[in-house]
Amino acid sequence: MAAKSGKGGNTIAKVYDMVKPITDELGLVLWDIVFEKEGAYWYLRVFIDRDDDMPSMDDCENVTRPLSKLLDEKDPIEQSYILEVGSPGLGRELKKEEHFLRYMECPVRIRYIRENENGEKELIAALKGWSKDGITVMADGEELQVKFADTAFIKLYDDEDVFDDIDE
């Protein structure tokens, strides 16, 4: 079954069906697909990951080559676009059930659409649970329920460790 994520649902479903066998064969995780317009250009972004480490440039190239060939052959996208294959990065956005389940107990950054009942627009908390409607987090010793409908995004929180290894 094709997955839908981000903008351009039908396009994403078609691309998912093409790229998933490629990532599976290479032992990679298909993290997300986004089809969006930025300025005058359309971008088809395929985000890949590894279970054991961050994806390498070789991993990106090993997905790009066969995917580009398939996209040219099947031509599922009417308009011109730029294909990008890359990593979701350290502060990756969590969107799907498998994303949340993979990062249980990890710190997440939640950006609310509107200020919450405590007047906060953003919250850093430990991910404790997932349901189809939202997540459970632990913040300042308090368990909170966060509805997906109330959030702009939920990302893995990685800021605290980024500069720990840099000597000053």
Side-chain angles (χ1 to χ4, degrees):
M1 179 166 160
K4 291 186 178 181
S5 182
K7 300 173 186 173
N10 192 37
T11 297
I12 289 171
K14 291 176 187 176
V15 173
Y16 177 92
D17 289 341
M18 293 167 40
V19 73
K20 182 72 168 120
I22 296 169
T23 56
D24 287 351
E25 183 178 318
L26 295 169
L28 299 168
V29 175
L30 177 55
W31 185 265
D32 199 9
I33 302 170
V34 178
F35 185 59
E36 61 190 351
K37 189 171 185 180
E38 288 184 9
Y41 301 101
W42 280 90
Y43 290 87
L44 175 61
R45 294 186 170 110
V46 177
F47 297 100
I48 60 172
D49 202 12
R50 298 186 68 87
D51 284 330
D52 57 348
D53 200 4
M54 295 291 281
S56 68
M57 291 298 290
D58 287 341
D59 291 328
C60 295
E61 184 177 337
N62 291 337
V63 172
T64 300
R65 288 182 188 270
L67 177 58
S68 182
K69 184 177 179 182
L70 267 175
L71 288 166
D72 287 345
E73 287 172 6
K74 297 191 179 207
D75 199 21
I77 303 172
E78 292 182 22
Q79 65 264 46
S80 297
Y81 60 91
I82 298 166
L83 172 63
E84 295 179 348
V85 176
S87 166
L90 294 174
R92 60 196 56 201
E93 187 167 359
L94 307 179
K95 296 180 179 181
K96 303 174 188 172
E97 176 182 7
E98 57 264 26
H99 296 167
F100 292 99
L101 296 179
R102 183 174 179 180
Y103 290 103
M104 281 295 154
E105 304 300 324
C106 292
V108 293
R109 169 180 278 140
I110 301 161
R111 170 86 39 91
Y112 292 103
I113 295 170
R114 291 170 207 80
E115 289 182 355
N116 66 10
E117 60 277 357
N118 299 327
E120 301 167 318
K121 186 86 169 159
E122 189 168 281
L123 175 67
I124 309 298
L127 181 60
K128 294 295 184 182
W130 176 91
S131 75
K132 64 181 173 115
D133 299 319
I135 58 173
T136 303
V137 296
M138 183 69 74
D140 298 325
E142 183 181 351
E143 191 171 278
L144 305 169
Q145 303 298 317
V146 177
K147 293 181 182 177
F148 292 131
D150 295 336
T151 65
F153 65 74
I154 302 169
K155 294 183 178 184
L156 201 57
Y157 180 67
D158 64 339
D159 291 356
E160 63 190 358
D161 299 326
V162 173
F163 300 106
D164 283 355
D165 295 333
I166 297 176
D167 293 328
E168 298 208 21

